[in-house]
Amino acid sequence: MAEIVLNVEVREKTGTGGARDSRRAGMVPGVLYGGAKDPVAIAVKSNEFRKALYTGKLLGHLVTLKYGAETQPVIAKAVDMHPVTDVPTHFDLYRVDANQQIKINVPLHFSHHDDAPGLKRGGTLNVVFHDVQVSCAADHIPEELVVDLTGLDIGSSVRVSDLKFPANVSAAIPVETVLATISGASAQADADDAADVAAGEAAVADAAAAATAAEEGGEA
């Protein structure tokens, strides 16, 4: 089962006012939803929630929700943070069965940068996706998926098909999806120059069209 347990309370008041009251009481408001049951407004003590959040094993992981003597497995789907204080202000939990097949995003970890010839020669690692959606049982969500950069040169691409998935875990997106590339400085410069030329040509075309429209208007 899950390593993290969230002791929740059911909130009697919902909406913005109810959430504000929970925060004033030192709680983080949230919502439990999913399955055949209706959504339930809940709250967790702020210090307990922050402790669970900062383990790095809350968001996107299977955790145990506890309400009195009742427990059930849930997935922490989202956590909202205050834009200034970076304090958690709201969270969403999703009901699941421990063995239920789910689709969830798992973070990517890029390793062995020093063993990539392309990076040694001054190339740049361009990350297209920082996570990948996978299909797996709720109690077998990987902590991360490792992208091994060993041997990759300038011009190389890393695709979903290059990843090594744990047993009973599979990609939920097309295997040809590009996750990252290694490009050289000259290739990036060429791409920037091409973009500048295209923008210039578009500006010239717009100016010509405007001039033509003005002339036609004067003739009319």
Side-chain angles (χ1 to χ4, degrees), residues 56-167:
K57 296 182 179 180
L58 174 64
L59 190 61
H61 290 74
L62 186 71
V63 301
T64 297
L65 179 150
K66 186 175 182 181
Y67 174 62
E70 300 179 11
T71 62
Q72 68 179 104
V74 298
I75 294 286
K77 280 285 191 178
V79 177
D80 296 331
M81 310 293 285
H82 191 282
V84 176
T85 62
D86 208 30
V87 170
T89 58
H90 191 275
F91 63 93
D92 292 342
L93 300 180
Y94 184 75
R95 300 183 185 97
V96 295
D97 292 325
N99 298 320
Q100 177 183 339
Q101 284 290 126
I102 62 171
K103 291 182 179 180
I104 192 166
N105 285 1
V106 173
L108 293 174
H109 172 69
F110 293 85
S111 68
H112 299 116
H113 291 68
D114 293 339
D115 295 324
L119 298 181
K120 285 184 176 181
R121 295 198 293 117
T124 301
L125 175 64
N126 304 303
V127 179
V128 181
F129 292 101
H130 292 274
D131 52 39
V132 169
Q133 188 180 65
V134 304
S135 176
C136 62
D139 60 349
H140 282 78
I141 302 172
E143 292 287 334
E144 62 183 15
L145 293 173
V146 177
V147 178
D148 189 351
L149 301 176
T150 300
L152 297 186
D153 209 336
I154 291 174
S156 297
S157 298
V158 179
R159 301 177 185 274
V160 173
S161 57
D162 297 318
L163 297 176
K164 293 182 179 179
F165 292 92

